[in-house]
Amino acid sequence: MPDVISSLTKPLVLVVEDEAALATMLRYNLEKQGYRVEEATDGQEALTRIAEAQPDLVLLDWMLPQMSGLEVCRQIRRRSATRDLPVIMVTARTDDQDAVRGLNTGADDYIAKPFSMDALLARIRALLRRSNSMPVKGQLTFHDITMDLASHRVQRNGRPVHLGPTEFRLLEFLMQHPRRVFSREELLDAVWGPDIHVEPRTVDVHIRRLRKSINATGELDVVRTVRAAGYALDTEPV
Ligand code: CA
């Protein structure tokens, strides 16, 4: 059964794709699932459409004329207004290293061409859920970190910390279970959802991004890597 999307809150997806046939197919299928769709055919147009239309999610082709999808993603992350905008990178490359490169520039997820529409829709739903859903309201605290779930604000030592939607959910989950060690698979189930197939090493990329945001220079690394086991939120030395 497809997720029911209220017509009042139909999410807007910006499809950035220079292949007209693929863009048309994506629009048709996304609209059928209840999403609103905007299109852009190159990177510059994408950045303009993002500023004007304020989409809820960007489906970003890697191989674009002039500016690559990677560069578009970097620029999205560089601007404060779009720093948290969910981005799924669409790539023709199946190389794992490329996928990791895409994630490192700030994409929240990636999907390789050719993909099934069902797989893409599952990833879109999961990412929108990560960026919107707040099952627990209130505040979480750990060491010198506070997380306000209602306002989506994170502070460390009084300093604001900006996190992407995936890093926010990851930190939220770890702060709900401090000092407990979770395997990559457990984190994937908890944060991405059990119906999503993601490579376990994707967790490593997001942990790296979380560390980069949460640990300022000279601050204690609160994310502990437990060799062969996984990760925990902890202040004990490794
Ligand atoms: Ca392309």
Side-chain angles (χ1 to χ4, degrees):
M1 190 187 74
D3 282 7
V4 177
I5 299 166
S6 153
S7 60
L8 287 172
T9 57
K10 272 186 174 183
L12 176 62
V13 176
L14 177 67
V15 173
V16 187
E17 174 58 70
D18 58 317
E19 290 165 54
L22 183 52
T24 302
M25 188 277 278
L26 287 168
R27 172 189 282 276
Y28 171 79
N29 282 286
L30 288 167
E31 285 180 345
K32 206 168 73 178
Q33 293 295 318
Y35 295 98
R36 289 177 298 137
V37 176
E38 290 269 347
E39 288 177 36
T41 54
D42 64 49
Q44 200 50 58
E45 190 188 358
L47 293 171
T48 306
R49 296 308 298 138
I50 288 167
E52 288 170 359
Q54 302 182 352
D56 298 290
L57 183 143
V58 179
L59 198 57
L60 180 59
D61 188 29
W62 179 314
M63 304 294 277
L64 291 168
Q66 289 122 36
M67 194 190 299
S68 77
L70 280 186
E71 183 52 31
V72 176
C73 191
R74 268 189 215 109
Q75 298 214 17
I76 289 172
R77 288 293 171 258
R78 218 175 281 148
R79 297 172 187 192
S80 60
T82 55
R83 191 157 28 206
D84 303 334
L85 178 60
V87 175
I88 297 178
M89 187 80 81
V90 180
T91 167
R93 303 154 182 252
T94 48
D95 189 336
D96 256 9
Q97 275 310 113
D98 281 333
V100 169
R101 245 179 88 210
L103 292 173
N104 278 335
T105 62
D108 297 289
D109 202 353
Y110 65 92
I111 191 161
K113 286 178 184 174
F115 50 81
S116 78
M117 208 52 216
D118 282 350
L120 177 64
L121 288 167
R123 294 181 111 97
I124 289 174
R125 277 196 297 270
L127 181 52
L128 285 173
R129 211 159 39 223
R130 294 206 290 285
S131 77
N132 296 332
S133 79
M134 279 168 285
V136 195
K137 300 278 181 202
Q139 208 174 60
L140 294 169
T141 59
F142 176 78
H143 189 54
D144 52 1
I145 302 167
T146 58
M147 207 172 184
D148 190 296
L149 299 172
S151 69
H152 242 248
R153 289 213 170 87
V154 181
Q155 291 201 331
R156 176 155 192 194
N157 215 353
R159 155 181 69 85
V161 175
H162 299 285
L163 299 175
T166 305
E167 288 73 44
F168 188 93
R169 284 284 297 125
L170 197 50
L171 181 64
E172 180 186 357
F173 180 72
L174 291 172
M175 284 183 70
Q176 282 163 347
H177 312 276
R179 280 173 284 276
R180 223 183 104 185
V181 179
F182 291 98
S183 69
R184 289 168 180 80
E185 287 73 17
E186 286 171 324
L187 290 173
L188 284 175
D189 267 9
V191 175
W192 279 255
D195 52 337
I196 289 291
H197 175 74
V198 190
E199 293 299 318
R201 82 154 87 173
T202 299
V203 174
D204 302 342
V205 174
H206 288 281
I207 287 278
R208 210 178 306 139
R209 276 161 60 170
L210 175 61
R211 275 191 170 121
K212 212 174 145 191
S213 302
I214 203 97
N215 302 323
T217 313
E219 278 178 347
L220 179 73
D221 183 2
V222 289
V223 183
R224 195 174 133 219
T225 305
V226 184
R227 202 172 289 272
Y231 297 103
L233 199 65
D234 209 334
T235 51
E236 295 298 309
V238 181

